[in-house]
Amino acid sequence: MNIGFIGGGNMGEAIIRGLIQSGVVASNRIHVYDVVAQRMDFLAQTFAVLKAASLSQCVRTCDTVVVAVKPQNIQEVLEEMAPAAAHRPLVISIVAGIPLLRLEAVLPSGTPVIRVMPNTPALVLSGASALARGQHAEDAHVETALKIFRAVGIAHEVPEKLLDAVTGLTGSGPAYVLCFLEALIDAGVLMGLPRAIASDLVIQTVLGTALMAQKTAKHPAVLKDMVTSPGGTTIHGLEVLESRGFRGAVLGAVRAATERSTALGFSQSASKPATPA
């Protein structure tokens, strides 16, 4: 396929890197347009991708277009895309908070649209993405989108109504994990470890534990019990976490982020009504 990127920021770069490294798309099949010319120059020099002369040219040239712009710019981008999208390319949006109906309303009737919620670990090709199909997206379109985002991690299809939950869980999740990492490192320092050593030990512990959960496919509770001896050190530490509401805090954080995502989505939709094509 010829795949175009409208917006060449960090996430766009991550996807381009994943596509090329995985062999899903050759660099000479990737077209990039960004309002910042230096950004296009960087991507072209780094990955040997093609610079588009304009947004319209990028859309006309490609059968799949990834829209990776800021939410406040989406309306003008869609309106500029629409005349160039008469061939109805697959449009994949990673723009946060912009619902499928709004995207479809501006693009030519019948355009297949897929909305994706990736997360920042995609920057190191270890992302977790969820996607929702629009009313004109068929199974083949979904498979294309899954192939693209599995080049930078894992990806699953969900109904659009669940994308806010995905945002609260995996979109915000890296911040929760990093907060936990920071707290564990500080705890190591509190107990006398040099910060550099504490940091190295903690990051490897969290990384190794996540890999263990992934590769064994065992329930986290089973793996937890493997290191929790009767009357031992781990159970005493877990008692403190439980008594201070650790699980409840995590549940509350995901709920709060999900509800905020929903509220922002409604706000985005209401602030700039879409103009039918």
Side-chain angles (χ1 to χ4, degrees):
M1 65 178 128
N2 283 299
I3 180 168
F5 286 81
I6 307 301
N10 288 334
M11 192 60 71
E13 178 184 343
I15 299 168
I16 290 169
R17 184 188 305 276
L19 289 173
I20 294 172
Q21 289 188 3
S22 64
V24 171
V25 182
S27 60
N28 63 356
R29 294 282 187 173
I30 298 175
H31 307 255
V32 181
Y33 176 77
D34 195 286
V35 293
V36 180
Q38 294 90 334
R39 187 62 186 167
M40 285 196 291
D41 291 340
F42 168 79
L43 294 171
Q45 292 166 8
T46 304
F47 302 106
V49 298
L50 305 177
K51 295 187 293 183
S54 66
L55 186 153
S56 295
Q57 183 201 50
C58 187
V59 174
R60 282 195 300 268
T61 304
C62 298
D63 44 63
T64 299
V65 179
V66 177
V67 182
V69 300
K70 295 179 180 178
Q72 60 265 33
N73 299 328
I74 187 62
Q75 188 67 25
E76 60 187 282
V77 167
L78 289 172
E79 290 173 356
E80 190 172 349
M81 285 178 63
H87 60 302
R88 293 176 178 80
L90 169 60
V91 175
I92 299 174
S93 170
I94 63 171
V95 184
I98 307 300
L100 287 165
L101 283 176
R102 182 173 169 192
L103 298 168
E104 292 170 336
V106 184
L107 295 168
S109 178
T111 300
V113 180
I114 291 177
R115 181 181 166 196
V116 185
M117 179 63 218
N119 67 355
T120 53
L123 299 176
V124 291
L125 309 187
S126 295
S129 303
L131 61 87
R133 70 174 79 188
Q135 57 183 323
H136 305 295
E138 300 177 355
D139 289 347
H141 298 125
V142 172
E143 286 304 313
T144 296
L146 287 172
K147 184 180 293 186
I148 291 169
F149 286 88
R150 284 172 178 165
V152 292
I154 66 167
H156 293 283
E157 182 184 8
V158 300
E160 187 181 23
K161 65 181 180 181
L162 294 181
L163 284 183
D164 288 321
V166 171
T167 300
L169 183 65
T170 61
S172 300
Y176 312 150
V177 175
L178 290 166
C179 187
F180 180 56
L181 279 175
E182 183 183 27
L184 277 180
I185 292 167
D186 283 345
V189 173
L190 177 66
M191 294 297 101
L193 286 168
R195 183 168 293 275
I197 293 177
S199 178
D200 202 31
L201 291 172
V202 166
I203 292 171
Q204 184 60 39
T205 296
V206 173
L207 176 63
T209 303
L211 285 172
M212 182 171 62
Q214 184 184 62
K215 292 184 181 301
T216 65
K218 291 182 179 179
H219 193 283
V222 173
L223 297 173
K224 174 178 67 71
D225 289 349
M226 288 168 56
V227 295
T228 307
S229 304
T233 58
T234 303
I235 192 62
H236 278 76
L238 288 170
E239 180 191 23
V240 175
L241 290 178
E242 295 289 0
S243 67
R244 298 187 183 180
F246 178 74
R247 292 172 192 257
V250 173
L251 292 170
V254 174
R255 178 190 293 275
T258 299
E259 292 173 348
R260 181 59 176 163
S261 177
T262 302
L264 288 173
F266 281 129
S267 174
Q268 288 285 353
S269 299
S271 62
K272 293 183 180 179
T275 303

